[in-house]
Amino acid sequence: MMQALTVGMMERLGIRSTTAMSPPEDVTSELSPSSLSSDYEELITECLHFLGLSPDQVRISVRPVGVNAAGLDVYAAFVKVVRWDPAVIKAMTRMPYIEKKIERRIRLSDVLRYSAFAGLWFRSPSSLEGLGKDAAVH
């Protein structure tokens, strides 16, 4: 009884409607989780390409990993090293610089209006093919 009274009072005050609004048929949203993931992926791929890494060296995948306090989806980028070569090793030594460039590029875009970014996560292949036996990777 109390809940019905509360809902009725809120409805009269215009605070909350008890009926769900149905979206108009002729309006479509351009924002969806898959488009935000692909936007992040495109931004990061562009940055890595500009810094000398190609898709055959590293693979990028972006996916939602949670929701922040403001209710925005939080996305993380997962970078997988596909092939170790001197360019990839050089890039790994400059990773703080590269991460800063990527975060700056994301801040300059509009994707942070609709989501949050958790950063880059790295994964390397189980074997270190392409490196000599005496090469050291730190």
Side-chain angles (χ1 to χ4, degrees):
M1 176 72 177
M2 185 65 170
Q3 185 179 11
L5 181 63
T6 304
V7 170
M9 183 61 84
M10 290 176 75
E11 194 173 34
R12 283 183 174 234
L13 292 173
I15 296 174
R16 186 175 93 188
S17 174
T18 58
T19 59
M21 289 180 45
S22 60
E25 297 297 321
D26 60 340
V27 177
T28 60
S29 172
E30 293 187 23
L31 293 175
S32 67
S34 63
S35 69
L36 284 173
S37 294
S38 62
D39 288 346
Y40 276 114
E41 199 169 310
E42 183 178 322
L43 288 170
I44 294 167
T45 302
E46 285 175 6
C47 288
L48 292 178
H49 178 70
F50 180 74
L51 295 168
L53 297 175
S54 64
D56 64 329
Q57 294 168 319
V58 292
R59 212 171 274 140
I60 312 295
S61 67
V62 178
R63 60 181 180 257
V65 293
V67 178
N68 68 5
L72 298 174
D73 287 330
V74 178
Y75 289 84
F78 297 90
V79 181
K80 180 181 180 185
V81 176
V82 178
R83 182 172 49 109
W84 286 102
D85 58 18
V88 174
I89 294 170
K90 182 179 177 185
M92 290 298 135
T93 62
R94 299 173 41 212
M95 204 34 61
Y97 169 77
I98 292 172
E99 286 179 324
K100 187 180 278 189
K101 289 287 188 187
I102 289 171
E103 288 174 3
R104 183 178 300 145
R105 177 67 178 102
I106 288 172
R107 279 194 315 269
L108 291 174
S109 72
D110 287 335
V111 295
L112 290 180
R113 287 186 184 182
Y114 313 104
S115 64
F117 186 62
L120 301 173
W121 297 84
F122 290 89
R123 183 173 159 228
S124 64
S126 58
S127 66
L128 297 176
E129 294 177 16
L131 294 177
K133 292 181 182 182
D134 56 343
V137 179
H138 301 282

